[in-house]
Amino acid sequence: MKRLVLAWAAAAVAATGAAVAVLGLLGGALTGTSGQVMTQEEARAALTRVTATIQRPSQSPARTPTQAPPANEVIRTAGGTVIASCADGRVTLRSWSPAQGYSVDGVEPGPDTEAKVEFEPDDDAEEVEVKVGCAGGRPVKLPD
């Protein structure tokens, strides 16, 4: 047993040493730092270059969208949460997340006139089916 503990400790020390050596060699490349400290003049020059880049006006003309992007609606139920959107009278489930104690049993995400997700309980609770459609261009929960 004592040999096993000593072997484990030796392996841990060797692995740690190897990791430190590799990070020492690659640290600058991974973090992007060269290990050199900038002077105040170098820092000001770098800040001026970055600020000029950010404030430079775009070369391409501004585009105006012809249509607003579809609005997302959050629908909360005991079984979970659904995010849906409508476009051209068709609903699409953008995401779904089961509540604690539930899992997703089935999904029909659309786009279609109706989309649905089923949340299955982990215990003896009742399954929650969420049907979503569009009304007035907005997603709405449909009755069961």
Side-chain angles (χ1 to χ4, degrees), residues 28-111:
L30 292 175
T31 61
T33 59
S34 63
Q36 297 176 356
V37 177
M38 288 183 166
T39 65
Q40 283 187 341
E41 293 79 26
E42 291 170 331
R44 281 193 190 105
L47 184 57
T48 301
R49 283 192 306 273
V50 170
T51 304
T53 303
I54 293 171
Q55 292 177 348
R56 185 177 304 141
S58 173
Q59 301 299 329
S60 62
R63 296 185 329 197
T64 56
T66 56
Q67 252 185 357
N72 291 329
E73 290 288 332
V74 178
I75 300 169
R76 291 180 177 86
T77 69
T81 303
V82 176
I83 299 176
S85 65
C86 288
D88 299 323
R90 297 164 60 94
V91 65
T92 301
L93 301 183
R94 298 291 178 195
S95 69
W96 47 91
S97 177
Q100 187 171 359
Y102 285 81
S103 59
V104 175
D105 188 33
V107 179
E108 294 176 18

Side-chain angles (χ1 to χ4, degrees), residues 9-22:
V13 168
T16 302
V20 168
V22 169

